[in-house]
Amino acid sequence: MTLQQLRYVIEVANRSSINEAAKRLFISQPSLSNAIKELEDEIQITIFERTNKGILLSKAGAEFLGYARQVVEQADLLESRYKNAKPAPQHFSVSTQHYAFAVNAFVKLVNEHGHDEYELALRETKTHEIIEDVRTQRSEIGILYVNEFNKNVINRLLKNANLMFTSLFTAKAHVFISVYNPLAKQKVITLDQLQDYPYLHFEQGEYNSFHFAEEILSTLSHKKSIRVNDRATLFNLLIGLNGYTISTGVLSADLNGNEIIPVPLESEETIHVGWICHRNAALSKLAMEYVEALRAAVEA
């Protein structure tokens, strides 16, 4: 086993494609495939599963990748310390539901730990895709919530994918509305008071199950309902249409301005927001720093 082979595995995992990885590594695709096959034969595990849709990390491969990243990171540190070598570009990816605190933590991570070169990814995406991204190591960290309604479905998917959920915080239900909404001065809002306002919620694509909704109380019917794909559009509609959405109540004025506010919703629902990762894979240094930034962001 060589450092070069470990770098090959990391690059293929980052690209989800042997062809793309070979281009980035400036070697031929057959040479890269052979190097990975030789490594798999040596350590007697299948790192990548070959499918009609491309290559995917196996469960054993995901665990191996975590250790490979640690070894390569340490080797890069040694080289930069004792050979005055240029630090290698940093890699880190996170997939998340549409939470402002996740963006705040990402900004803090880049500002405090980003080198001159890095290749990072922040994906605000659908619930099922978050789990898939982490399962396939497209992202090291995923951020989502569980509650009494969806926990059986989500926990089963996490178990099948060999992923673990770590809690960040627990919150009561809130509605996000604009400061111009007639309900903005309410101390608590009831569902009956909201029935004449447009309900805004995030599209979940082909996995449009109530259990994958980003908003709690997803089985309730609404007179007016609008699906959106991104947080900026949702916030614009909150202001322009006096709409509302249901969330945790954790909001960032730095990123979202002062025109959107959280107001407690009269509900007994509890939301458990947390992060997911591979159960047996060691986190990279940037992933660990991001988790700390997440904790700081939700405590602010």
Side-chain angles (χ1 to χ4, degrees):
M1 185 187 309
T2 67
L3 271 175
Q4 186 179 54
Q5 287 174 314
L6 299 184
R7 294 185 194 278
Y8 286 173
V9 169
I10 292 169
E11 192 64 34
V12 172
N14 287 341
R15 304 295 159 193
S16 298
S17 164
I18 288 183
N19 285 333
E20 289 300 315
K23 292 177 184 177
R24 295 288 298 242
L25 293 164
F26 302 104
I27 62 174
S28 68
Q29 184 269 331
S31 296
L32 180 56
S33 295
N34 288 338
I36 291 175
K37 184 65 168 63
E38 288 174 3
L39 177 60
E40 289 178 322
D41 290 343
E42 178 186 347
I43 61 179
Q44 297 184 339
I45 67 168
T46 298
I47 300 173
F48 295 105
E49 296 173 346
R50 285 74 174 174
T51 71
N52 292 334
K53 295 182 179 180
I55 61 168
L56 297 173
L57 272 170
S58 67
K59 287 185 178 180
E63 182 177 357
F64 179 83
L65 180 62
Y67 288 110
R69 281 180 170 148
Q70 283 194 322
V71 171
V72 170
E73 278 183 1
Q74 294 302 314
D76 288 341
L77 286 172
L78 281 171
E79 286 189 5
S80 63
R81 172 66 177 84
Y82 293 105
K83 296 175 66 175
N84 295 318
K86 182 180 179 181
Q90 297 170 294
H91 294 272
F92 173 67
S93 298
V94 57
S95 296
T96 177
Q97 292 177 329
H98 298 78
Y99 296 127
F101 68 81
V103 181
N104 277 344
F106 195 84
V107 170
K108 182 178 181 182
L109 176 76
V110 176
N111 285 337
E112 294 185 1
H113 303 284
H115 291 167
D116 290 338
E117 293 187 28
Y118 50 76
E119 187 171 328
L120 311 177
L122 173 61
R123 302 183 181 92
E124 286 192 334
T125 188
K126 303 171 179 64
T127 302
H128 191 273
E129 289 180 8
I130 293 169
I131 297 172
E132 278 298 292
D133 282 353
V134 180
R135 183 185 72 82
T136 61
Q137 282 278 5
R138 187 183 186 199
S139 291
E140 270 193 87
I141 298 287
I143 303 168
L144 46 72
Y145 85 89
V146 294
N147 68 347
E148 284 299 316
F149 176 72
N150 72 4
K151 70 177 183 180
N152 289 337
V153 171
I154 298 297
N155 287 342
R156 184 172 68 249
L157 287 174
L158 296 181
K159 181 179 179 181
N160 291 341
N162 200 32
L163 306 180
M164 60 184 290
F165 177 92
T166 301
S167 178
L168 274 172
F169 65 93
T170 300
K172 291 291 188 179
H174 286 69
V175 292
F176 287 166
I177 56 176
S178 85
V179 294
Y180 311 110
N181 190 296
L183 300 176
K185 295 189 183 300
Q186 296 279 127
K187 291 185 177 180
V188 177
I189 293 176
T190 68
L191 289 170
D192 287 342
Q193 289 175 306
L194 292 167
Q195 63 179 341
D196 290 327
Y197 296 93
Y199 169 63
L200 308 175
H201 56 115
F202 288 108
E203 172 71 57
Q204 294 298 323
E206 63 179 300
Y207 294 94
N208 199 30
S209 159
F210 292 133
H211 295 96
F212 293 124
E214 285 195 39
E215 304 79 19
I216 62 169
L217 304 173
S218 58
T219 59
L220 296 178
S221 60
H222 303 272
K223 290 167 57 177
K224 304 172 184 178
S225 175
I226 301 173
R227 290 193 302 272
V228 300
N229 281 316
D230 67 86
R231 190 158 39 89
T233 298
L234 183 141
F235 282 1
N236 286 337
L237 294 178
L238 288 183
I239 297 170
L241 298 177
N242 271 338
Y244 73 96
T245 192
I246 302 175
S247 189
T248 62
V250 179
L251 197 58
S252 170
D254 291 341
L255 290 178
N256 306 122
N258 297 309
E259 291 187 296
I260 305 296
I261 59 172
V263 181
L265 178 66
E266 187 179 87
S267 170
E268 296 301 317
E269 290 285 335
T270 300
I271 310 165
H272 304 280
V273 179
W275 56 278
I276 61 173
C277 67
H278 268 274
R279 184 173 298 278
N280 300 321
L283 293 179
S284 68
K285 180 181 177 183
L286 279 186
M288 291 187 288
E289 296 289 356
Y290 182 68
V291 170
E292 290 305 310
L294 280 174
R295 292 184 177 129
V298 299
E299 290 172 1

